Amino acid sequence: NFKNKRVFGRNLNYIEGGVLMKNKKWVLITTIFLLSVLLAACGSDEESSGSSDGSNTLTIYTVAGGDEYYNDIVIPMFEEATGYKVEYGRGTPQEIINKIKTQGENGGIDIVITGLDGLPLGINEGLWEQLVPEYSEEVHADEWNEIANAYKEKFDGYGVPVTTGSGGPILVYNKDRVDNPPTTYEELKEWILDNPGRFTYPAVPSSGPARGFFFGLAYALGEDFNDPESLDETWTYLEEIGEVIDNYPTQTSDSFDLLYEGAVDIIPHTPFWFANLKATGTVPPNIEAVALEDTKQIIDSHFYVMLKDLPEERKAAALEFLEFATSKEIQSQGYAVGFIPANGEASPDLLEEQYVETYSNYIEGVLPEFLDGDTIYVPEDNWVLFPDLEPTNESYNLWEQKIQAAK
């Protein structure tokens, strides 16, 4: 449309220069024709807020879940504010990476929301654009909190942190059967051995709370979880309690069911997920939580990544989304679903009115260790970054060989 208007301008100047003024009939015909071009251009502006090649559409995939935030809050707000249409899809990290590689230069994905698995996988495959420092201003990098900055260093600025929450560990227990819940891994071990069959945790490779429990244990024992082969005390601990654990549920939800039904009395969990379950009324009233005092919270984050070498119009649209989604105003809305924003200037005070009551109900289920006034947080002296991808996968394999195989 802009090009049509420029052509019209040049032709009008040409006419006014007198070259075509010799023939009034041709002037009239040319003028009518050019007016029709302009009217057609204006009409197309009314039909579409973007260009004719579909650049007003943005395609975003999540491999990290989080629909309750991304699809239900952020994307509708972005569409309303900008006029863009967002196509939203889901998949596993490997599925989406394979899709991107298969599509090649003709791919249609612009942005991926990923966890700590898809981010390094895509970096290794050369799929993501390095966003910092080149686009630091667009992604509000100068406003990131301490954890977000740590991940910036870890991943060389390829991913933009969205949430910097805890992946656990905490313990969740049946207060009708457990009077004095354990608050350290050593106390937990004693309790487990004294109460055979009353504790379990899900399979580590497939469960967030189980991963937090596993890596939190290694940290409590003073071992390096980035070196799985060296975790002698960790494996010994798990082998010993494994002798009185009946089974390892395949999914996290299965362990919840066992606890709620009274089949077990204690399971591991994560603080903000548990608080969300409490707020939604999913947790029975006899179920409570307690923090573990001899370890630190394992930070489990989400990131926005942008596809490398996007066409300029799509890159501009993707950067517009990132600028919008990483702002303190938009990231503040994550509090409503238990997300701790990576933007350090975000605040519950910036919540949209429709989410204020939701957040107020939510924080009633948060352990006091993770509340600063009415703001959920992870204390600055109580967190460590999730291990690297390769040792993480090696830990999963070793757990299956050493622990799960014993059942």
Side-chain angles (χ1 to χ4, degrees), residues 97 117-128:
I97 283 175
D117 39 14
L119 176 55
L121 282 174
I123 292 173
N124 293 340
E125 296 283 355
L127 301 180
W128 314 140

Side-chain angles (χ1 to χ4, degrees), residues 67 75 116 132 175 188 196 274-275 287 355 372 391-392:
D67 284 0
I75 288 174
L116 289 158
V132 176
K175 66 179 182 181
L188 176 62
F274 178 72
I287 304 300
Y355 302 125
D372 181 12
T392 294

Side-chain angles (χ1 to χ4, degrees), residues 103-370:
Q103 291 178 342
E105 294 182 358
N106 298 317
I109 299 175
D110 301 305
I111 289 173
V112 175
I113 302 161
T114 179
L116 289 158
D117 39 14
L119 176 55
L121 282 174
I123 292 173
N124 293 340
E125 296 283 355
L127 301 180
W128 314 140
E129 186 86 26
Q130 188 177 29
L131 292 166
V132 176
E134 180 70 19
Y135 302 108
S136 294
E137 184 176 352
E138 286 85 348
V139 300
H140 307 280
D142 61 338
E143 299 174 2
W144 292 2
N145 65 23
E146 185 180 13
I147 296 173
N149 277 307
Y151 272 127
K152 177 185 69 176
E153 298 301 323
K154 185 180 180 73
F155 294 115
D156 295 325
Y158 279 90
V160 178
V162 184
T163 175
T164 53
S166 167
I170 64 168
L171 297 179
V172 176
Y173 64 98
N174 182 340
K175 66 179 182 181
D176 291 342
R177 292 182 54 87
V178 181
D179 294 329
N180 298 303
T183 57
T184 67
Y185 276 98
E186 185 58 38
E187 290 178 3
L188 176 62
K189 180 180 177 181
E190 293 175 5
W191 187 93
I192 293 170
L193 297 178
D194 288 342
N195 298 271
R198 305 306 300 175
F199 172 85
T200 193
Y201 63 97
V204 171
S206 59
S207 168
R211 295 167 192 166
F213 175 75
F214 175 82
F215 294 125
L217 170 63
Y219 186 88
L221 294 173
E223 296 187 310
D224 181 7
F225 49 52
N226 275 303
D227 185 9
E229 290 285 359
S230 71
L231 303 181
D232 296 337
E233 291 186 42
T234 300
W235 297 122
T236 298
Y237 181 107
L238 295 176
E239 288 167 353
E240 290 179 357
I241 67 171
E243 294 178 4
V244 294
I245 292 176
D246 292 337
N247 65 81
Y248 303 102
T250 303
Q251 298 179 339
T252 302
S253 59
D254 295 334
S255 68
F256 297 168
D257 291 341
L258 291 173
L259 179 66
Y260 300 163
E261 294 165 1
V264 298
D265 299 325
I266 301 179
I267 61 170
H269 214 309
T270 68
F272 303 113
W273 186 358
F274 178 72
N276 197 44
L277 293 176
K278 290 274 283 187
T280 56
T282 306
V283 179
N286 62 314
I287 304 300
E288 295 291 348
V290 64
L292 286 166
E293 299 170 355
D294 60 342
T295 189
K296 293 189 176 184
Q297 296 300 297
I298 312 299
I299 299 299
D300 192 2
S301 296
H302 290 180
F303 303 83
Y304 293 122
V305 293
M306 183 172 74
L307 271 289
K308 190 175 182 179
D309 298 327
L310 289 176
E312 286 306 312
E313 286 190 345
R314 286 173 55 193
K315 177 183 282 189
L319 288 171
E320 187 170 349
F321 173 82
L322 291 175
E323 184 170 11
F324 179 90
T326 58
S327 68
K328 63 183 179 183
E329 292 82 5
I330 302 307
Q331 287 227 331
S332 294
Q333 311 315 309
Y335 283 112
V337 294
F339 278 20
I340 297 180
N343 189 312
E345 296 186 11
S347 166
D349 294 337
L350 297 176
L351 278 165
E352 295 285 311
E353 185 177 352
Q354 60 185 313
Y355 302 125
V356 171
E357 184 177 356
T358 300
Y359 180 67
S360 296
N361 293 334
Y362 170 78
I363 62 175
E364 291 180 5
V366 178
L367 290 170
E369 290 90 341
F370 302 101

